[in-house]
Amino acid sequence: VSYGELNARANQLAHHLIGLGVTPDQPVAICVARSVAMVVGLLAILKAGGAYLPLDPAYPSARLHQMLADAAPQLLLADAAGRS
């Protein structure tokens, strides 16, 4: 992935997040496997002005639920690993 493509994909997702109501410093959870999609997601959250809450899909589900309850993000970005 080139820097230009990474930037374009992050901008597209950032605009989508803004459309969903992400505001400055609002936490947005991201639970994805380590990949290009994770980098795009993190960059997009920052470009939208949000604060990312990284969740590792390998964590036990009880721990993930606790982190989500504590931070109370309005949005969660997840891939197949994160959804399971």
Side-chain angles (χ1 to χ4, degrees), residues 21-69:
V22 173
T23 57
D25 298 326
Q26 176 185 346
V28 177
I30 181 166
C31 189
V32 297
R34 290 190 170 117
S35 63
V36 173
M38 181 184 76
V39 177
V40 169
L42 294 175
L43 188 55
I45 292 167
L46 294 174
K47 285 180 174 238
Y52 65 88
L53 171 65
L55 302 172
D56 189 338
Y59 284 177
S61 63
R63 175 70 177 136
L64 292 173
H65 286 283
Q66 178 187 16
M67 292 172 71
L68 288 170

